[in-house]
Amino acid sequence: GGVLMKTFQAMLLQTDGRKIFLLPAWPKGWDVDFKLHAPYQTVVEGRYCDGKLQSLKVTPEARSADVVDLSKP
């Protein structure tokens, strides 16, 4: 079970230094609500539905500048 959860996390969020990459490997046809922890005491919450990122909240807000949405074509 733990390996599967880690795989889903990697499909939703990956990091490189301070950059946070959202949805790098998430299938367009899958809907998901998520709340994940990233480096530098960052929490990323969102909803992906109908092939689009519907909502996104990054805490602390200053880290929003480091988020790269890879779901956009």
Side-chain angles (χ1 to χ4, degrees):
V3 172
L4 186 58
M5 291 301 290
K6 192 132 176 97
T7 301
F8 282 137
Q9 278 186 316
M11 291 170 67
L12 286 166
L13 184 144
Q14 294 179 12
T15 61
D16 183 22
R18 294 191 67 87
K19 288 288 184 193
I20 299 170
F21 299 99
L22 282 183
L23 307 160
W26 196 257
K28 290 201 180 288
W30 293 9
D31 297 342
V32 65
D33 292 300
F34 58 90
K35 180 177 181 179
L36 300 169
H37 294 266
Y40 303 102
Q41 299 177 355
T42 305
V43 178
V44 180
E45 300 176 68
R47 176 177 178 83
Y48 180 77
C49 186
D50 299 325
K52 294 182 181 179
L53 190 60
Q54 303 290 329
S55 65
L56 180 65
K57 178 181 176 187
V58 180
T59 309
E61 195 172 313
R63 291 278 285 142
S64 294
D66 295 325
V67 174
V68 178
D69 179 7
L70 297 177
S71 70
K72 295 179 182 177

